[in-house]
Amino acid sequence: MKLTTKGRYGLRAVVDLAVNADDEAVALSQIAERQGISMNYLEQLIAKLKKSGIVNGIRGAQGGYVLAMPAEEISVGDILRALEGDLSPVDCYELNSNDTPCNNSDLCVTKYVWKRISDSINDAVDGIMLSDLAAESKRVQAEAGITQINQPKQTC
Amino acid sequence: MKLTTKGRYGLRAVVDLAVNADDEAVALSQIAERQGISMNYLEQLIAKLKKSGIVNGIRGAQGGYVLAMPAEEISVGDILRALEGDLSPVDCYELNSNDTPCNNSDLCVTKYVWKRISDSINDAVDGIMLSDLAAESKRVQAEAGITQINQPKQTC
DNA sequence: TTTAATACCGAGTATTTTAATAGGAATTAA
DNA sequence: TTAATTCCTATTAAAATACTCGGTATTAAA
């Protein structure tokens, strides 16, 4: 029941992008360095975010990435689902219509549990907007007098 | 962000135990057969439940397992945490005091996300009691006229 | 027009985790 | 005494994860 590094690194990267976006595109190498994430790996994560319409890539020199929408309109749920796939605790047809139908559905009672968990997770993450995290991040960075992060290994 | 088979199989096994418990102990071989789970594997899962004080084992011939408490007093959260460990989405010291302290805690903003997810999951599963599932299971089994389940492979 | 900086793409790989299997020891009712 | 059962530990196959690597395409700036 853990997120993978895709969700953890990816969310940090998007928050970094939201915080460090002026009007310019932000190069992935900068995000990678600030966040202490391998750039090659981060490329794969940002590709998912691009595919989901959360960021836009700008090619060529001086290129980089920008948010595809105002941060106020991007929920943490949008970001995590883009990175991790659906956030339900099981692959269950009742929860997720792209899963294969389950031949035990009639007798299954645990499906009620999975539905409750799934709904509660999605409600939680859809209630937090990227702008909330970006504002908080700016606040704590200002308080600490930080411009460069580049932290050692983090668990979260 | 998926439960493992530990949580899925294990919860089904406990519901089965609650449904099929009269005053006798229920042999693991019976649960395994009804639920279509390898008995050897189920042994490992029930060991976790035993360690957490959810079931008691009765050794010897005619032995088996019984619930250690009335089903009304056992929450799905108790069961899933026994099987899966903590249900938080990340290993984060702020959420889970047995994790190693995180040196980025001051600047970390995603921790607010993880806390919200963690709390919502735990609230959801702590609000469902084993007795609820057992009652519903008896109801659907009666409706279908079923005594033996033994379903083919399930995803949930 | 060249160069350097960047996004974009797909294949390969080491490590870790999961999901079992297997074999035996201890216990106890019949 | 036997058979049924829990209990315990080690091993293993497969899958998923978390990367690395090498290249191509694009574009702003020199």
Side-chain angles (χ1 to χ4, degrees):
Chain A
M1 203 57 179
K2 295 283 181 250
L3 290 170
T4 66
T5 54
K6 293 195 191 78
R8 302 206 319 269
Y9 294 179
L11 179 57
R12 272 165 56 200
V14 178
V15 172
D16 184 292
L17 179 56
V19 167
N20 293 102
D22 3 46
D23 292 339
E24 310 283 293
V26 181
L28 209 54
S29 56
Q30 293 175 28
I31 299 177
E33 194 184 6
R34 274 192 296 261
Q35 298 299 325
I37 302 170
S38 138
M39 165 149 170
N40 277 319
Y41 190 44
L42 197 50
E43 266 182 357
Q44 294 174 29
L45 310 187
I46 204 106
K48 289 172 181 281
L49 295 164
K50 186 165 174 271
K51 202 174 167 190
S52 297
I54 291 170
V55 301
N56 286 331
I58 297 168
R59 306 186 69 165
Q62 314 305 115
Y65 289 91
V66 292
L67 294 178
M69 290 175 284
E72 289 76 17
E73 295 173 21
I74 302 172
S75 77
V76 169
D78 296 331
I79 296 165
L80 290 180
R81 282 185 295 266
L83 292 160
E84 294 272 345
D86 73 276
L87 299 176
S88 66
V90 293
D91 291 324
C92 169
Y93 186 67
E94 309 268 329
L95 298 181
N96 229 11
S97 45
N98 60 331
D99 292 322
T100 52
C102 181
N103 49 22
N104 194 43
S105 185
D106 290 347
L107 289 169
C108 177
V109 296
T110 54
K111 69 185 175 190
Y112 300 112
V113 175
W114 314 144
K115 174 101 171 83
R116 291 265 287 269
I117 295 175
S118 182
D119 288 347
S120 74
I121 293 172
N122 282 293
D123 287 350
V125 294
D126 286 335
I128 310 175
M129 305 311 287
L130 177 55
S131 49
D132 301 331
L133 295 183
E136 178 65 11
S137 183
K138 282 179 181 165
R139 198 184 68 71
V140 295
Q141 283 183 34
E143 194 174 274
I146 293 281
T147 54
Q148 198 76 354
I149 302 170
N150 205 7
Q151 288 295 328
K153 226 176 199 77
Q154 295 169 230
T155 53
C156 63
Chain B
M1 201 59 182
K2 295 283 181 250
L3 290 171
T4 67
T5 55
K6 292 195 191 79
R8 302 205 320 267
Y9 294 0
L11 179 57
R12 272 165 55 201
V14 178
V15 173
D16 183 291
L17 178 56
V19 167
N20 293 102
D22 5 47
D23 292 338
E24 310 284 295
V26 180
L28 210 54
S29 56
Q30 293 174 28
I31 298 177
E33 194 184 7
R34 274 194 296 263
Q35 297 298 325
I37 300 170
S38 140
M39 165 149 170
N40 276 320
Y41 190 43
L42 197 49
E43 265 183 358
Q44 294 174 33
L45 311 187
I46 205 105
K48 289 171 182 281
L49 295 163
K50 185 164 174 274
K51 201 174 169 192
S52 298
I54 292 169
V55 302
N56 286 330
I58 297 168
R59 304 186 69 163
Q62 312 309 112
Y65 290 91
V66 293
L67 294 178
M69 291 175 283
E72 289 75 17
E73 295 173 21
I74 302 172
S75 77
V76 169
D78 295 331
I79 297 166
L80 291 180
R81 281 184 296 265
L83 292 160
E84 295 271 346
D86 73 276
L87 299 176
S88 66
V90 292
D91 290 325
C92 168
Y93 185 67
E94 309 270 328
L95 298 180
N96 230 13
S97 45
N98 59 332
D99 292 321
T100 52
C102 181
N103 49 21
N104 194 43
S105 185
D106 289 347
L107 289 168
C108 177
V109 296
T110 55
K111 68 185 176 190
Y112 300 112
V113 174
W114 313 143
K115 175 104 171 80
R116 290 265 286 270
I117 295 175
S118 183
D119 288 347
S120 73
I121 293 171
N122 283 292
D123 287 351
V125 294
D126 286 335
I128 310 174
M129 305 311 287
L130 177 57
S131 49
D132 301 331
L133 294 183
E136 177 64 13
S137 184
K138 282 179 180 162
R139 198 183 68 71
V140 297
Q141 283 182 33
E143 194 174 275
I146 295 281
T147 54
Q148 197 77 354
I149 302 172
N150 205 6
Q151 289 295 327
K153 224 174 203 75
Q154 296 169 228
T155 53
C156 62

